[in-house]
Amino acid sequence: MKAGFYKGLTGEVILPTDPRYKEARQEWNRAIQKYPLVIVYCFTKTDVRNAICWARKHSIGIRIRSGGHHYEGYSIGNSILVIDVSKMNQLKVDRDKNILKIQGGVTNQQVYDLVGSEGYPFPGGTCPTVGVVGYTLGGGWGYSSRYLGLGCDSLLELKLVNYSGKVITANKECNSDLFWACKGAGGGNFGVVVSMTFNLPQKVDKVTLVEMYYPEASKETMVIFLDTWQQWLKGLDERMTLVSSVYNSAEEGKAIFGRGLFYGTPEDAEQLLRPFAKIEGAEFNLQEMTFLEAMQKVQASYPDSEKFKSTGRFVERQYDLRELENIVDLIHEKAVGSVYAAVSLYALGGQVQAVGTSDTAFYYRNAQYIMGIQSIWENTIFANENILWVQERFKYLEAITNGSYVNYPYSELADYEKAYYGQNAYRLNQINERYDPYDVFKFPQALR
């Protein structure tokens, strides 16, 4: 390409010839390796507008990236333009109104550091480098969801740059249909979100970080654990949100680990966890600390990157003993080269259920929990075996669950719109037609 070809792009423009290109094109999931035509790090709304207009002029596809954590890598692509807003990372707390304003590139860690230092909790995600905008657009499950709702439930307003480069404001009063759609319809649709405003919860003094561990867990222990989990969630105190995994790891063998937050004392948490304490081999660690300390500890457990294939499905019913055994059997044998294979359970209910299925684009409000399967590997030569391993086991999960969580996307879904959005899919397509009439923001599994 001649140098003049890229005229009109502003911000930090990274081309394949740039020594920074190799690192700039990487997603958090290093199993994804794509080669964009150009990556533009935007610093202003004007940079975003110029990138959109340039791509349209040259008929080049667009991908939108903030934290780069899309499980299937849809925030990158081959021979396309990446609009990266990670440099737009200013944020501010308005103490008088108890609101948080963020730009499009702000991460979980940045939010927690700011609001946590002022005594506020926040219904954000768990991994430090996930972009808060992308997290929120997909609904947003985290360790506070049962108590404070999904991330999108605190959203008051957003601004995005649309297909023509115009900045649009969306809230309950202005472009309310777009605002509704942006609360659960996933990132990449409609336009490039450049800012969001959130309502902040009431300040909290302390929370309890909950961890439970069952080393060397037998199949029987895992089955009992899963059964206890599904019974325990019924009527559970909404101040408690956990994720638990039954797993098979190269380092530890088969084990169970659970972690999350309780907005109360360790003594009360211990009472709530009694059903799990009855299971043989249980080890508990309940620590009272500030919300910020708890999130810092959680975030410190994440690596800088991984190679993985993962998915998440919604569970809306109880499973019998045979089904629970089948679920445990999914991780009995790891894929060749896998260092970690797991079935993970993310608790729903509480305040997630307090919002109606059609009140936001996030449809699966009545699910009891999300159940996902994943495999992690280190050596690239084992990628295919691990991906096939997940694909084979996903067939069973799909048969016993109802729909997929768009923030844990899965490229193999036959009818992804129905899977991600349920009964809200039709309305979402109508809204998408209105706000992106020329399909400028196209990517695999975009709204059609």
Side-chain angles (χ1 to χ4, degrees):
M1 299 281 183
K2 291 181 181 174
F5 178 71
Y6 297 100
K7 192 178 177 198
L9 292 173
T10 58
E12 189 180 347
V13 180
I14 309 283
L15 305 179
T17 52
D18 194 303
R20 296 167 295 176
Y21 177 81
K22 186 180 177 184
E23 184 57 36
R25 69 175 182 80
Q26 299 295 345
E27 298 276 285
W28 194 77
N29 182 1
R30 294 295 164 101
I32 310 295
Q33 293 296 322
K34 302 287 184 183
Y35 298 86
L37 180 70
V38 55
I39 300 164
V40 178
Y41 288 99
C42 299
F43 294 86
T44 65
K45 293 191 279 279
T46 302
D47 293 339
V48 174
R49 186 194 56 162
N50 290 344
I52 292 168
C53 294
W54 181 89
R56 290 192 66 192
K57 177 184 173 185
H58 294 286
S59 301
I60 287 164
I62 292 171
R63 297 286 186 278
I64 306 163
R65 187 171 71 177
S66 175
H69 275 258
H70 195 285
Y71 279 19
E72 295 286 6
Y74 297 162
S75 54
I76 194 96
N78 291 323
S79 304
I80 49 84
L81 165 78
V82 176
I83 295 177
D84 189 303
V85 295
S86 61
K87 307 285 189 190
M88 298 173 70
N89 55 16
Q90 292 180 342
L91 65 169
K92 191 174 108 182
V93 169
D94 184 327
R95 296 171 195 82
D96 296 330
K97 295 179 181 174
N98 282 334
I99 60 173
L100 168 71
K101 293 187 173 186
I102 69 166
Q103 285 189 305
V106 167
T107 62
N108 279 326
Q109 183 172 13
Q110 289 171 296
V111 167
Y112 290 140
D113 286 351
L114 178 63
V115 304
S117 66
E118 306 219 6
Y120 294 102
F122 185 77
T126 51
C127 187
T129 55
V130 163
V132 176
V133 164
Y135 162 86
T136 303
L137 290 170
W141 183 93
Y143 284 167
S144 301
S145 290
R146 300 187 76 258
Y147 187 51
L148 301 176
L150 298 172
C152 70
D153 296 334
S154 296
L155 185 65
L156 296 173
E157 183 175 282
L158 62 89
K159 291 184 190 300
L160 65 75
V161 183
N162 77 352
Y163 68 95
S164 66
K166 183 183 172 189
V167 179
I168 293 181
T169 300
N171 54 42
K172 271 185 182 171
E173 285 77 42
C174 175
N175 296 307
S176 58
D177 54 347
L178 177 62
F179 184 61
W180 174 89
C182 286
K183 295 168 85 170
N189 295 301
F190 314 117
V192 182
V193 176
V194 290
S195 70
M196 282 183 165
T197 303
F198 295 91
N199 187 44
L200 283 171
Q202 287 188 317
K203 292 185 179 184
V204 293
D205 186 32
K206 294 278 203 269
V207 298
T208 299
L209 180 63
V210 175
E211 292 179 328
M212 55 183 175
Y213 181 48
Y214 301 79
E216 298 171 9
S218 66
K219 176 178 175 178
E220 184 187 15
T221 298
M222 288 182 171
V223 170
I224 292 168
F225 180 88
L226 293 181
D227 190 35
T228 303
W229 170 272
Q230 65 178 0
Q231 307 300 334
W232 176 72
L233 276 178
K234 296 179 196 168
L236 174 66
D237 188 323
E238 67 180 25
R239 293 177 294 165
M240 175 82 77
T241 308
L242 291 189
V243 57
S244 300
S245 300
V246 297
Y247 63 92
N248 184 351
S249 106
E251 201 174 306
E252 299 169 65
K254 289 170 186 165
I256 304 166
F257 182 70
R259 183 164 63 187
L261 285 188
F262 176 63
Y263 282 82
T265 65
E267 292 74 26
D268 288 346
E270 190 176 11
Q271 287 293 337
L272 290 175
L273 294 165
R274 282 175 82 179
F276 293 111
K278 293 175 184 173
I279 302 171
E280 189 182 352
E283 297 176 11
F284 289 92
N285 184 17
L286 308 176
Q287 289 181 284
E288 191 170 45
M289 56 186 78
T290 66
F291 173 80
L292 177 56
E293 287 167 340
M295 294 321 296
Q296 285 172 335
K297 189 164 184 190
V298 168
Q299 292 177 120
S301 68
Y302 282 85
D304 291 337
S305 63
E306 282 182 340
K307 294 187 182 86
F308 66 92
K309 182 78 171 178
S310 188
T311 181
R313 299 282 295 176
F314 292 101
V315 176
E316 295 183 338
R317 66 176 179 86
Q318 302 277 296
Y319 296 121
D320 62 31
L321 193 60
R322 182 76 201 117
E323 289 170 317
L324 295 174
E325 288 174 350
N326 290 342
I327 292 166
V328 171
D329 283 343
L330 295 174
I331 55 130
H332 178 64
E333 294 282 347
K334 298 193 309 298
V336 178
S338 171
V339 295
Y340 180 84
V343 171
S344 298
L345 318 170
Y346 308 80
L348 293 170
Q351 286 304 305
V352 178
Q353 248 171 35
V355 179
T357 57
S358 61
D359 290 347
T360 67
F362 187 92
Y363 177 71
Y364 297 97
R365 294 280 180 175
N366 296 326
Q368 292 153 32
Y369 54 99
I370 299 165
M371 177 161 57
I373 190 162
Q374 68 182 131
S375 186
I376 300 171
W377 61 96
E378 289 173 351
N379 194 323
T380 304
I381 63 169
F382 298 120
N384 283 344
E385 286 96 331
N386 281 264
I387 290 166
L388 286 170
W389 184 94
V390 171
Q391 286 174 2
E392 279 301 309
R393 282 150 184 79
F394 180 78
K395 291 171 190 170
Y396 182 69
L397 278 197
E398 191 173 32
I400 62 168
T401 52
N402 282 339
S404 279
Y405 179 33
V406 73
N407 274 3
Y408 302 160
Y410 186 60
S411 59
E412 310 299 319
L413 292 169
D415 185 353
Y416 65 83
E417 289 186 329
K418 185 172 186 292
Y420 292 145
Y421 312 122
Q423 298 298 313
N424 290 332
Y426 179 72
R427 185 181 172 193
L428 281 167
N429 276 312
Q430 289 182 307
I431 294 168
N432 194 51
E433 211 169 295
R434 181 181 167 194
Y435 288 95
D436 186 18
Y438 303 109
D439 284 336
V440 171
F441 302 104
K442 271 313 225 194
F443 59 94
Q445 297 191 332
L447 287 167
R448 289 185 272 240

